[in-house]
Amino acid sequence: MAFLEAAEFGHGDFILLEDVTEAAFMDNLKLRFSKDRIYTNIGETVVSVNPYKSLAIYSDEVVEEYRGRAMFERPPHLFSLADSAYQAMWRRSKDSCVVISGESGAGKTEASKIVMRYISKVTNSAHQAEVERVKNLLIQSNPLLEAFG
């Protein structure tokens, strides 16, 4: 069953919009942003709006709220996407990928760090070194990735 936020926060999943128009999409996004709800789902896709400020939504306590939960059991968050990819990777015993895209300054690097931070928190200690290695490679490769847009 999908997690439903209070109506004051708009729809947490754009699939639930009654009026599927660009105006309704933008109105919902603006409403959520005004309430510091920077994440909104479109099914299994997470739309993120850079708040250009710090929000207290990345603590260890919040990690635990999303750990091992189905994507729609909690409000939209990068943690839910990261956990879904992580769980799929372990179930299938295959690599998993999270695509993060956006314009320059949209917060792609920060989103990547948030996903990696989540994965490092939920990974058992035997795999921590590999997670840290991948995280450091990602951060070091950022200037090159930014050069390609």
Side-chain angles (χ1 to χ4, degrees):
M1 181 175 177
F3 179 88
L4 295 176
E5 294 179 284
E8 70 181 280
F9 300 115
H11 293 289
D13 194 326
F14 285 119
I15 290 174
L16 300 174
L17 287 176
E18 294 170 20
D19 184 22
V20 184
T21 64
E22 182 179 349
F25 183 93
M26 294 305 295
D27 288 345
N28 190 62
L29 204 57
K30 287 176 188 174
L31 172 62
R32 292 183 60 73
F33 182 79
S34 73
K35 304 286 185 175
D36 287 336
R37 296 299 202 265
I38 61 168
Y39 300 116
T40 308
N41 291 336
I42 304 176
E44 293 184 355
T45 301
V46 177
V47 175
S48 173
V49 179
N50 190 337
Y52 295 102
K53 65 181 179 180
S54 294
L55 297 174
I57 59 173
Y58 306 109
S59 67
D60 289 348
E61 292 79 21
V62 177
V63 166
E64 289 306 316
E65 289 176 20
Y66 286 86
R67 183 182 197 149
R69 305 285 294 270
M71 192 159 181
F72 303 108
E73 288 184 52
R74 303 292 308 143
H77 199 292
L78 281 177
F79 287 172
S80 63
L81 179 69
D83 194 76
S84 180
Y86 181 77
Q87 296 301 327
M89 178 181 67
W90 284 110
R91 269 193 315 273
R92 298 178 189 138
S93 296
K94 292 183 178 180
D95 291 343
S96 191
C97 175
V98 174
V99 176
I100 299 172
S101 70
E103 296 181 2
S104 180
K108 297 179 300 293
T109 301
E110 191 60 29
S112 299
K113 290 177 188 177
I114 291 165
V115 168
M116 291 304 295
R117 190 175 326 130
Y118 179 85
I119 291 173
S120 70
K121 292 282 185 188
V122 301
T123 302
N124 68 42
S125 59
H127 297 101
Q128 283 292 341
E130 179 64 9
V131 170
E132 285 301 313
R133 185 187 72 78
V134 171
K135 183 169 103 177
N136 289 333
L137 283 172
L138 176 70
I139 292 168
Q140 291 170 4
S141 69
N142 184 58
L144 179 63
L145 296 173
E146 285 292 326
F148 290 104

